[in-house]
């Protein structure tokens, strides 16, 4: 254990039922020892290996690094005018028809260089890291046309090498809106499924394919064609479903064995049953429904059915104008009536499951040493201080990607 080091605190939230009891499996007066980017020990101080330098954080809490399983963080431009219109009462569809929404950001992304996208993304990811995020899913979907979608994915690949950023999971949001000028929907969908998805997979530019399945978006049949192409190319599937209407998107996600079904404000009882049977993770996006003034998804029914609940920021320039996963957690508790325990599992173990990542979201021997030391006395306090960063130290594979000034 020559390169090993440790952190000690009054509470170590492991999220690993094999380590300690309780919903979050908290070890009191715990130590986490890291060696070569992996967790080498997690447990009480008394059992910690000897000869390891341990940093003492006292009456604080250590958690797994947070996982933001749904973001659109690769964008440039500003949609402040549209936000003002929305607050005056214009609806999502009215804004979209007036050239706002996705198409507004599409124009900015299409005009931007790859370098410009990298810079905006890296700056945004660093701010996310300061809030405790160590893994972030980032979707394309503003490029719309193949060349610009590829530019977004290339920017994500380059952002990975920048210092101070969380790990990135890239998703090709293959069906988000029709590119301007495209009138033949069927030909567009066929081109995406038949050519673009396989080429993105072959180049290793994305791990998942996503589609926006809703009224005024893409149909179940269109999304199925693209998702099946993703499966055939070895990529995973995640879907935006049932945000504005029940179009049986959840049933589609279940039939495709998707990793996640996201939004779900209008999911039906049969959709919930299908998600439970197929063990698809529900990704809840409370910032978006808050911005849009929508009622919450049927959280009690999802919980009752045994569907795992993840929470994500949905970070995007229109309907979720935030970079803060902790804000999404606070809203999940306040608006969706999740317990603090559920909110915490929703950004750790369940969020990792939503990304099909088995090596993080828990503090256990052998897992990646992705962890956060919080300047808070208890894990339940993480859902409370809205809009402020309360992290002291954030580590990805043991490397510190953020440290609070003066700590
Ligand atoms: Zn989204």
């Amino acid at each position: 254990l020559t390169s090993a080091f440790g952190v000690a605190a009054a509470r170590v939230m492991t999220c690993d039922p094999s380590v300690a009891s309780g919903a979050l499996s908290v070890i009191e007066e715990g130590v986490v020892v890291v060696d070569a980017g992996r967790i080498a020990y997690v447990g009480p101080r008394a059992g910690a290996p000897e000869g390891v330098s341990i940093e003492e954080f006292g009456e604080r809490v250590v958690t797994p690094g947070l996982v933001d399983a749904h973001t659109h963080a690769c964008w440039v431009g500003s949609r402040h005018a549209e936000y003002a219109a929305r607050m005056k009462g214009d609806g999502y569809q009215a804004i979209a028809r007036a050239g706002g929404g996705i198409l507004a950001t599409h124009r900015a992304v299409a005009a931007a260089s790859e370098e410009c996208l990298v810079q905006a993304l890296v700056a945004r990811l660093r701010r996310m890291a300061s809030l405790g995020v160590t893994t972030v899913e980032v979707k394309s979907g503003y490029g719309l046309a193949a060349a610009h979608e590829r530019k977004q994915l290339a920017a994500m690949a380059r952002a990975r090498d920048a210092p101070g950023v969380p790990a990135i999971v890239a998703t090709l949001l293959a069906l988000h809106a029709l590119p301007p000028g495209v009138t033949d929907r069927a030909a567009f969908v066929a081109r995406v499924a038949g050519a673009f998805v396989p080429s993105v997979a072959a180049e290793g530019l994305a791990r998942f394919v996503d589609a926006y399945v809703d009224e005024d978006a893409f149909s179940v049949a269109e999304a199925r064609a693209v998702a099946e192409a993703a499966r055939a190319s070895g990529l995973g599937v995640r879907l935006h479903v049932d945000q504005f209407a029940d179009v049986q998107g959840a049933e589609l996600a279940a039939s495709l064995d998707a990793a996640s079904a996201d939004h779900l404000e209008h999911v039906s009882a049969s959709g919930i049953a299908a998600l439970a049977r197929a063990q698809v993770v529900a990704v809840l996006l409370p910032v978006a429904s808050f911005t849009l003034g929508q009622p919450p998804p049927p959280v009690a029914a999802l919980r009752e059915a045994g569907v795992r609940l993840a929470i994500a920021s949905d970070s995007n320039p229109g309907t979720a104008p935030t970079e803060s996963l902790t804000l999404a957690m606070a809203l999940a508790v306040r608006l969706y009536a999740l317990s603090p325990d559920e909110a915490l599992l929703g950004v750790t173990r369940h969020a990792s499951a939503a990304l099909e990542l088995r090596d993080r979201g828990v503090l256990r021997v052998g897992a990646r040493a992705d962890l956060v030391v919080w300047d808070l006395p208890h894990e339940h306090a993480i859902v409370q201080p809205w809009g402020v960063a309360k992290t002291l130290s954030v580590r990805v594979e043991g490397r510190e990607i953020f440290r609070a000034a003066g700590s």
Side-chain angles (χ1 to χ4, degrees), residues 70 72 240 263 314:
H70 182 136
H72 303 257
H240 286 68
H263 277 295
D314 195 17

Side-chain angles (χ1 to χ4, degrees), residues 304-321:
E304 177 75 11
V307 177
R308 286 168 293 175
L309 307 176
I311 300 162
S313 70
D314 195 17
S315 179
N316 77 66
T319 57

